[in-house]
Amino acid sequence: MIDIKTVFVFSTILTLFNWIVMAMLWVPYRRRFAGINHWMLGYTFISTGMLVILFRIVLSEFFLFLFGNLLIVFGIFLLHTGLERFVEKPRTRIHNFIFLATFTTIHAYYSFVSPSLRLLSICVSAMIVIIFVQSAWLMLVRVKKPIHSGMLHYGVISGAFSLINAIQIVMVLIYRPGKEFYRIGEWNSWVQIANQIGLIALTFSLFLMVSRRLSVELETVILFRKQAEEKIKSLLQEKELLLKEVHHRIRNNMSTIMGLLSLQSGTLNNSEAKMALKEAQNRVQSMLVLYDKLFLSSDFQNVSTKQYFETLIDEIIKNFSNSNIVSVKYEIEDVMLSAKTIFDLGIIINELITNTMKHAFVGKEQGKISASLSADEGHATITIQDDGIELPESVSFENPAAGFGFKLVSMLVNQLDGSIQIDRGNGTKFTIKFNIET
């Protein structure tokens, strides 16, 4: 025969173990999920109730049995309340408070007024059945996907608890227990063992529920990120298509302008007018080259000086009839400059190279142009030098009578907060110094 007292001692130890396990769950997730605080308090009530019933030596048995059972029932009720909050199905259950009040009254009556261990056992088991039937209904019916599949086990365990305590009621009705709690029959020992197995399964089920909830949240986050990534990818593809279309139209417009300038130049007999149109065409071309570099680059804000300046100078020189006698030497460091700065520098270089090609190599069989750019500690220096005819002393950037091209250069250098210097001797050398934006 199984000793109910021994069963109760081990049940109490296992209940305390369940409390420790729940504390391990409560500590990391108490602020993350609603209801876990109720679970922790519920397990505390159940563990305290088991200890009160076990250690009945100091006070009367019925007094301790009363408070022990009340703590256990209230603990189970807190588990159910926490469960509703955890699955986000909270309800104002006034009937549960009525049941608890009725249970407390009946339990007190059969503990002090008309002591009856038989009726106390029926009262406790009936209240446990009522609570666990609600928990089973909540988990098996009310909870919807996607977390429903991860919580079926709790509903099944709750149903099993209800069945065990219903059997307890039937057994108490069939076999009348004596007045001593620890001598109420072997069948009650099996019921206590079944209840304890159920409590262990319940604790494990709560762990699985939290794990499932974390898994669902992770899946939701991953799904959201995938959707966001797909949307961003779609927007980027749309942006690329729009940029290509805009680029195509701008290129066509610039090419059209250059073509119109070239056609207009061909209808003129005045050499100065033709040269003016040619210079305007070169200025548009410098902008077109910059635009191509920006579009082909992954960085729309900055441009490589080496790629841009070398391509620009080559394109400018090609437009002159004496381009076949001119060689170019490049010593350009690869520096990333902002589009605004590079635009101004492109116009400046266009004017200087155009001036060199027009005047420096007149009557010469060959010529040489050197272009360099160096940068150091936030400052940059550009030099354009030729070995042709020197620029006359009367021509300078400070001279109000200077041509439009030199006036444009002077204005753009000032915009860069820089300086430009002309050196004469074995040709002409232009030196431009400016600050690099960081």
Side-chain angles (χ1 to χ4, degrees):
M1 179 176 179
I2 300 176
D3 181 20
I4 184 62
K5 187 172 184 179
T6 303
V7 170
F8 231 83
V9 169
F10 281 105
S11 294
T12 304
I13 294 172
L14 289 175
T15 301
L16 292 174
F17 174 77
N18 286 328
W19 181 89
I20 293 172
V21 173
M22 178 51 59
M24 294 171 63
L25 184 67
W26 173 76
V27 170
Y29 300 117
R30 63 186 184 278
R31 295 178 181 174
R32 182 165 185 172
F33 299 123
I36 292 186
N37 289 329
H38 290 73
W39 293 348
M40 189 68 233
L41 188 60
Y43 270 85
T44 302
F45 275 27
I46 293 171
S47 301
T48 306
M50 293 291 290
L51 288 172
V52 167
I53 294 174
L54 182 65
F55 298 107
R56 62 185 181 84
I57 300 173
V58 180
L59 297 175
S60 67
E61 180 173 341
F62 274 101
F63 180 81
L64 293 174
F65 195 48
L66 165 67
F67 285 99
N69 282 335
L70 285 177
L71 288 170
I72 291 172
V73 170
F74 275 94
I76 295 172
F77 176 71
L78 285 170
L79 291 182
H80 175 72
T81 304
L83 196 63
E84 288 185 321
R85 292 176 179 273
F86 182 79
V87 299
E88 299 176 353
K89 295 285 184 180
R91 288 187 178 181
T92 304
R93 295 281 190 172
I94 188 65
H95 63 274
N96 278 333
F97 294 103
I98 295 174
F99 283 145
L100 288 173
T102 303
F103 164 74
T104 303
T105 303
I106 294 174
H107 204 282
Y109 178 82
Y110 287 115
S111 293
F112 300 109
V113 180
S114 178
S116 172
L117 187 59
R118 176 170 173 262
L119 294 177
L120 284 175
S121 296
I122 293 174
C123 181
V124 171
S125 297
M127 194 63 200
I128 292 174
V129 169
I130 290 171
I131 296 174
F132 275 116
V133 164
Q134 293 181 78
S135 295
W137 178 262
L138 170 67
M139 304 311 293
L140 297 177
V141 178
R142 288 178 58 200
V143 175
K144 305 298 181 183
K145 293 182 178 180
I147 59 175
H148 179 265
S149 59
M151 299 186 177
L152 289 174
H153 43 77
Y154 192 97
V156 173
I157 296 170
S158 298
F161 255 115
S162 301
L163 181 61
I164 291 170
N165 284 275
I167 294 173
Q168 168 85 331
I169 294 172
V170 173
M171 297 300 292
V172 170
L173 291 173
I174 295 174
Y175 301 101
R176 294 175 177 271
K179 295 182 179 180
E180 170 61 48
F181 174 71
Y182 290 130
R183 298 188 180 88
I184 56 178
E186 184 176 358
W187 57 268
N188 196 65
S189 299
W190 289 109
V191 170
Q192 292 299 326
I193 292 173
N195 277 327
Q196 194 57 45
I197 293 173
L199 186 61
I200 294 172
L202 207 65
T203 305
F204 181 68
S205 177
L206 293 177
F207 254 92
L208 291 179
M209 284 167 53
V210 172
S211 176
R212 176 59 181 166
R213 183 73 173 271
L214 291 170
S215 176
V216 169
E217 288 189 357
L218 181 60
E219 290 172 1
T220 303
V221 170
I222 292 174
L223 178 62
F224 176 78
R225 291 188 64 177
K226 284 184 177 179
Q227 291 174 344
E229 288 174 359
E230 290 175 359
K231 185 176 181 180
I232 291 172
K233 186 178 180 180
S234 175
L235 290 174
L236 285 174
Q237 290 175 345
E238 183 179 350
K239 178 183 176 182
E240 288 177 1
L241 289 174
L242 289 173
L243 282 173
K244 287 180 180 179
E245 178 62 22
V246 171
H247 172 68
H248 180 69
R249 295 193 179 202
I250 292 176
R251 268 191 64 85
N252 285 346
N253 290 339
M254 287 186 175
S255 297
T256 300
I257 293 171
M258 290 176 64
L260 290 173
L261 290 172
S262 179
L263 288 173
Q264 185 66 37
S265 175
T267 62
L268 298 176
N269 295 321
N270 187 301
S271 60
E272 291 184 1
K274 293 180 71 171
M275 184 55 67
L277 290 178
K278 188 66 175 178
E279 291 175 357
Q281 186 178 347
N282 289 342
R283 294 180 185 117
V284 175
Q285 185 180 43
S286 70
M287 291 186 285
L288 182 58
V289 172
L290 172 60
Y291 189 78
D292 281 338
K293 294 300 179 184
L294 283 172
F295 181 78
L296 296 174
S297 172
S298 58
D299 184 357
F300 292 99
Q301 302 297 322
N302 300 289
V303 180
S304 165
T305 55
K306 185 175 182 61
Q307 294 180 1
Y308 175 59
F309 288 150
E310 291 184 5
T311 303
L312 176 61
I313 293 172
D314 288 341
E315 291 293 329
I316 295 170
I317 291 175
K318 283 180 186 178
N319 292 326
F320 290 89
S321 59
N322 60 346
S323 60
N324 60 321
I325 68 167
V326 177
S327 62
V328 184
K329 179 182 178 182
Y330 295 108
E331 293 183 0
I332 298 176
E333 293 184 11
D334 195 5
V335 181
M336 299 301 293
L337 297 180
S338 68
K340 180 181 180 303
T341 301
I342 212 82
F343 176 82
D344 292 342
L345 291 173
I347 299 295
I348 292 170
I349 290 174
N350 174 75
E351 298 300 326
L352 297 180
I353 295 296
T354 298
N355 182 78
T356 299
M357 294 298 294
K358 284 169 58 179
H359 304 293
F361 305 117
V362 176
K364 288 184 171 290
E365 295 182 357
Q366 63 178 9
K368 181 179 179 182
I369 296 175
S370 299
S372 67
L373 183 147
S374 59
D376 183 33
E377 297 182 356
H379 303 282
T381 301
I382 296 176
T383 61
I384 304 294
Q385 185 174 6
D386 64 75
D387 62 352
I389 301 171
E390 294 180 4
L391 193 68
E393 292 288 342
S394 60
V395 179
S396 67
F397 295 103
E398 295 80 13
N399 188 353
F404 174 74
F406 272 31
K407 289 180 180 178
L408 182 60
V409 169
S410 179
M411 180 185 68
L412 293 175
V413 169
N414 289 333
Q415 285 185 4
L416 293 172
D417 194 23
S419 63
I420 185 167
Q421 177 182 334
I422 303 175
D423 295 313
R424 298 170 177 86
N426 296 323
T428 305
K429 178 181 178 182
F430 300 96
T431 303
I432 305 163
K433 295 183 179 179
F434 60 97
N435 297 325
I436 299 176
E437 295 181 2
T438 56

